[in-house]
Amino acid sequence: MTDIIILPGIGGSGESHWQTHWEKTDPQMRRFQPSDWDRPNLEDWTAALEREVGLSPSPPLLVAHSLACLLVAHWQEASTLPVAGAFLVAVPDPLSQAFPEEAQGFANPPTAKLRMPSLIVASSNDPFGTIGYQRGRAQAWGSGLVEIGAVGHVNGQSGLGGWPHGRDLLTTFASGIAAAH
């Protein structure tokens, strides 16, 4: 059984966020815990991810939203711990006007291919990252890309609830990784 580590963005994915729904309904899932959800610090978040991955008995699957997608890109360059793959939802553009000032330490994510299988899930009207930006990230990182239509930032305000379509995408992604090994 593969561990799944939930990696929220700024704010920690509240009660209406699909990540919280998934975590509450699946005992395989657990959330990483940086020191501060509202004032993200790349060094602190990287250390928190390193700790959480280190607790897994086998390479875990990372499920990241927004700023945590950039965290995964930075972390995977610095860490040698194995992970099964990265499911990256709503990758934000650090150069967009909407990118939070408090998250500037996460800017300049690596542009090389990620060292693990990855899938980017993108909304066509995400205010934090255009579909063009996310397509570019997928190409640079060697990630698959699924465009899910106009659902905003794919967060609690998007009204997705438990987001069954996203859960199906994750299941398909995880099955593909398992079949490749």
Side-chain angles (χ1 to χ4, degrees):
M1 201 179 276
T2 300
D3 284 347
I4 299 173
I5 301 174
I6 299 290
L7 306 168
I10 291 177
S13 294
E15 290 302 308
S16 63
H17 198 287
W18 57 269
Q19 285 184 315
T20 302
H21 286 277
W22 291 8
E23 186 182 5
K24 286 182 174 180
T25 59
D26 189 333
Q28 286 181 272
M29 296 187 181
R30 68 181 189 278
R31 188 174 296 223
F32 94 124
Q33 294 295 327
S35 298
D36 194 328
W37 289 111
D38 299 318
R39 289 183 296 281
N41 173 285
L42 181 58
E43 188 175 299
D44 172 61
W45 283 38
T46 299
L49 178 52
E50 185 78 359
R51 278 191 308 273
E52 208 57 48
V53 171
L55 293 174
S56 295
S58 62
L61 187 61
L62 307 178
V63 175
H65 178 257
S66 193
L67 187 62
C69 298
L70 301 182
L71 167 65
V72 169
H74 286 288
W75 171 83
Q76 60 90 37
E77 273 197 339
S79 178
T80 59
L81 292 177
V83 290
F87 186 79
L88 308 168
V89 179
V91 179
D93 179 354
L95 299 178
S96 79
Q97 298 245 340
F99 194 75
E101 181 64 36
E102 62 271 22
Q104 286 303 315
F106 291 73
N108 302 313
T111 56
K113 185 176 188 289
L114 301 182
R115 65 175 173 87
M116 78 284 283
S118 58
L119 177 68
I120 292 176
V121 180
S123 165
S124 62
N125 66 340
D126 187 337
F128 292 95
T130 66
I131 198 72
Y133 175 80
Q134 295 191 57
R135 287 175 182 154
R137 245 337 95 193
Q139 185 173 15
W141 289 347
S143 304
L145 176 68
V146 175
E147 298 179 23
I148 57 171
V151 291
H153 193 47
V154 199
N155 58 7
Q157 290 74 37
S158 297
L160 300 170
W163 193 32
H165 178 240
R167 194 60 196 264
D168 291 344
L169 290 172
L170 176 63
T171 300
T172 301
F173 176 62
S175 294
I177 292 169
H181 292 301

